[in-house]
Amino acid sequence: MEAYTRYSDYRAALDAGKFTCESVVRDFITRAHEQAELNAFLEIWEEEALERARTIDQKLKDGSAGKLAGMVIALKDNICYAGHRVSASSEILKGFESLYSATVTERLLAEDVIFIGRTNCDEFAMGASNENSAFGNVLNADDRSRVPGGSSGGSAVAVQAGLCHAALGSDTGGSIRQPAAFTGTVGYKPTYGMVSRYGLLAYASSFDQIGPITQSVEDCMQIMQVIAGPDDYDATLIQGAAPNFLQTEKPADKKKIAVLRECVDGEGIDPEIASGMKRLIDKLKAEGHEVELVGFPYLDYLVPCYYVLTTAEASSNLSRYQGLLYGYRSAEAKDLESTFKKSRSEGFGPEVKRRIMLGTFVLSEGYYDAYYTKGQKVRQFIKQKTEEILKDFDFILLPTTPTTAFKIGEKADNPVAMYLADIFTVQANITGMPAISIPAENRIDGLSWGIQIMADRKKDAELLSFAHSLQQSNTANEA
């Protein structure tokens, strides 16, 4: 089957009768088995996906098919789907079946997508390499000795390797955008409160956002058009109708773009990524955009602020997994105390336990004000300074990551080095602003890297429209 990078092209071929949803799903299933070594999927729902494909084929014939009919989507293993297993790639939820579906799952089903399976991820979305899964590493399809990024590595690789049209991930500090950069895909983190978190297994509730990973920005727009908007089950959502994500800017529209100087000229940035960013700046200027280097001397505070606050929230959120009502219970549990201690010690992996303990310390008496309260003040300061930039500019431009995908095991024994892999992505989560990663034009030694664009809160439609035009321009240049 021909590979389609845009749903609109695929749908046109589907409507023209060039193939059926069932044949497409069979092809994806075959490919997934052929590339099982990538470990992108924890489970493929073969019979169910084929049966649903046949149902949607009939809807297409009847003219009653939904907006995304036949789009084959993979679900990250922390997004609920009623009657299906969900484990956040953790032993503590191994074998657990969800009793309800996430709002995003329901909305996509209503528009006739086909869910093909659940994808591997870092345990409870805690990681930047997909090496923290209880079910093994995910491998980068471009170079199987390298990580795909995390925590949504399985979702990104499923799209990268052509095992589905799109995938859903979650982004707490870059967990959609960083793997997108490492795999040459498009990854989008919406404004906090734009997409319902109901049915997402929580890591850090004031940071988490569900978003799509696709081959094209256009497909991101299509998916966001369906999943965004108010939901009675999530009180943190922005009220009022969601924007029209399918709008596109006029070619004559020129933008003011701020480039964070420290993210281009700073230490630790791959020289070829820095050079690629400078070429991009020249290209945008040649197209008539106003591009200016802007100082942001707070980069070193982003990761510490992020980890103080997210581990505190994780400590609270993950207290529900204690071996009593559901999930893993230790065989050595004898009483209430041993059930808690043994089940959590055996069920959680090392990284999750590290973050729970750090978060518990941050929230403990005597340290709450020194760490958690100060972290909240730093968060507000970073938000204020970022908003000041966006008062004068439409977008902020920076690389998604300082390097290309690193080797498996390269940073596994150095948590601080691993945490710094998020240094360019956490700003959007700290501030609640939307951000997208799109593939850069040039590869570095055969490896992808990403261009990241941020906008002010609620400017999702404008951001996607600009990213769409930039991706089209990049693709035209490659051709």
Side-chain angles (χ1 to χ4, degrees):
M1 185 191 76
E2 182 183 345
Y4 289 90
T5 58
R6 300 191 308 170
Y7 172 72
S8 56
D9 294 335
Y10 163 73
R11 177 65 181 268
L14 199 60
D15 288 338
K18 291 185 178 180
F19 42 75
T20 64
C21 292
E22 183 179 0
S23 66
V24 170
V25 171
R26 286 191 187 279
D27 190 56
F28 279 137
I29 290 170
T30 299
R31 288 190 209 175
H33 286 302
E34 289 172 350
Q35 302 199 55
E37 183 192 6
L38 295 173
N39 201 27
F41 282 100
L42 295 180
E43 190 176 11
I44 300 172
W45 303 315
E46 295 186 24
E47 292 306 317
E48 179 183 327
L50 288 167
E51 183 179 344
R52 182 163 175 80
R54 287 189 283 270
T55 300
I56 293 168
D57 280 330
Q58 188 58 52
K59 283 189 170 186
L60 287 164
K61 288 180 183 177
D62 297 343
S64 61
K67 296 174 186 174
L68 298 179
M71 180 183 278
V72 179
I73 295 182
L75 278 178
K76 184 177 179 179
D77 187 36
N78 63 350
I79 299 173
C80 292
Y81 186 6
H84 297 74
R85 291 180 181 179
V86 60
S87 72
S89 293
S90 177
E91 287 284 353
I92 209 158
L93 279 174
K94 188 176 181 180
F96 175 76
E97 284 192 4
S98 181
L99 302 176
Y100 64 96
S101 290
T103 296
V104 292
T105 308
E106 293 283 7
R107 288 180 178 177
L108 288 168
L109 287 171
E111 297 298 340
D112 291 330
V113 306
I114 301 166
F115 289 122
I116 192 170
R118 59 190 176 103
T119 55
N120 202 349
C121 60
D122 283 297
E123 185 180 4
F124 279 97
M126 298 181 189
S129 65
N130 227 134
E131 294 174 280
N132 295 329
S133 170
F135 307 110
N137 299 350
V138 177
L139 308 182
N140 192 314
D142 287 339
D143 180 345
R144 298 188 182 198
S145 70
R146 296 180 183 270
V147 303
S151 63
S152 307
S155 289
V157 169
V159 176
Q160 174 196 31
L163 312 182
C164 56
H165 292 123
L168 288 188
S170 64
D171 193 311
T172 307
S175 286
I176 288 173
R177 290 160 289 145
Q178 190 244 27
F182 283 0
T183 59
T185 55
V186 174
Y188 181 59
K189 185 207 85 73
T191 294
Y192 181 82
M194 187 63 68
V195 176
S196 174
R197 289 179 297 110
Y198 179 73
L200 173 69
L201 302 186
Y203 161 20
S205 301
S206 73
F207 291 78
D208 298 340
Q209 266 294 267
I210 295 171
I213 298 175
T214 61
Q215 291 284 358
S216 67
V217 178
E218 182 181 313
D219 282 7
C220 269
M221 299 161 97
Q222 298 266 15
I223 292 170
M224 285 297 298
Q225 190 73 8
V226 171
I227 66 175
D231 176 26
D232 291 341
Y233 294 109
D234 184 352
T236 64
L237 283 183
I238 296 166
Q239 297 305 304
N244 176 16
F245 291 95
L246 301 179
Q247 70 180 25
T248 54
E249 299 283 353
K250 298 174 183 176
D253 288 343
K254 303 305 177 185
K255 301 298 181 184
K256 289 187 67 177
I257 302 164
V259 178
L260 299 188
R261 181 180 289 109
E262 291 78 6
C263 299
V264 177
D265 298 330
E267 293 181 8
I269 301 167
D270 186 306
E272 293 199 48
I273 289 180
S275 296
M277 288 297 297
K278 288 168 184 174
R279 287 194 300 273
L280 175 62
I281 291 169
D282 291 340
K283 173 186 168 184
L284 290 169
K285 286 180 176 178
E287 291 174 355
H289 300 290
E290 186 178 333
V291 186
E292 185 179 326
L293 286 174
V294 174
F296 190 77
Y298 316 107
L299 208 61
D300 290 342
Y301 300 102
L302 297 180
V303 171
C305 172
Y306 169 78
Y307 277 98
V308 164
L309 298 179
T310 57
T311 56
E313 294 186 21
S315 172
S316 175
N317 278 328
L318 271 63
S319 64
R320 70 194 68 176
Y321 305 107
Q322 75 297 79
L324 290 181
L325 298 177
Y326 51 83
Y328 176 82
R329 178 182 295 182
S330 173
E332 297 182 22
K334 296 185 175 78
D335 51 27
L336 188 64
E337 184 176 348
S338 65
T339 298
F340 280 23
K341 287 182 176 179
K342 295 285 186 182
S343 300
R344 288 170 66 81
S345 296
E346 296 168 14
F348 287 131
E351 183 59 31
V352 174
K353 286 188 279 193
R354 180 185 292 119
R355 298 197 194 193
I356 289 173
M357 288 188 288
L358 178 58
T360 303
F361 173 77
V362 162
L363 293 173
S364 63
E365 185 178 358
Y367 297 98
Y368 185 94
D369 287 337
Y371 292 100
Y372 184 74
T373 301
K374 188 173 289 184
Q376 291 288 17
K377 290 178 180 178
V378 172
R379 185 180 195 178
Q380 289 305 311
F381 178 80
I382 292 168
K383 183 173 179 286
Q384 176 189 333
K385 292 300 179 183
T386 307
E387 287 172 344
E388 286 175 6
I389 294 173
L390 288 169
K391 282 180 183 176
D392 298 322
F393 295 90
D394 297 300
F395 306 113
I396 295 173
L397 183 70
L398 65 162
T400 311
T401 59
T403 67
T404 54
F406 46 88
K407 293 273 189 179
I408 293 171
E410 183 179 323
K411 301 183 181 183
D413 297 328
N414 189 342
V416 174
M418 186 72 78
Y419 296 165
L420 288 172
D422 295 332
I423 193 166
F424 293 163
T425 53
V426 295
Q427 185 178 1
N429 302 85
I430 289 171
T431 60
M433 294 173 180
I436 190 168
S437 177
I438 64 173
E441 278 185 70
N442 63 300
R443 290 186 163 218
I444 300 172
D445 296 328
L447 298 173
S448 304
W449 61 281
I451 297 162
Q452 184 177 195
I453 314 161
M454 286 176 56
D456 207 350
R457 282 176 51 82
K458 302 183 187 180
K459 299 291 185 181
D460 297 68
E462 293 87 340
L463 173 60
L464 284 171
S465 179
F466 177 72
H468 173 58
S469 65
L470 182 56
Q471 187 184 30
Q472 285 186 313
S473 173
N474 287 349
T475 304
N477 288 343
E478 287 174 0

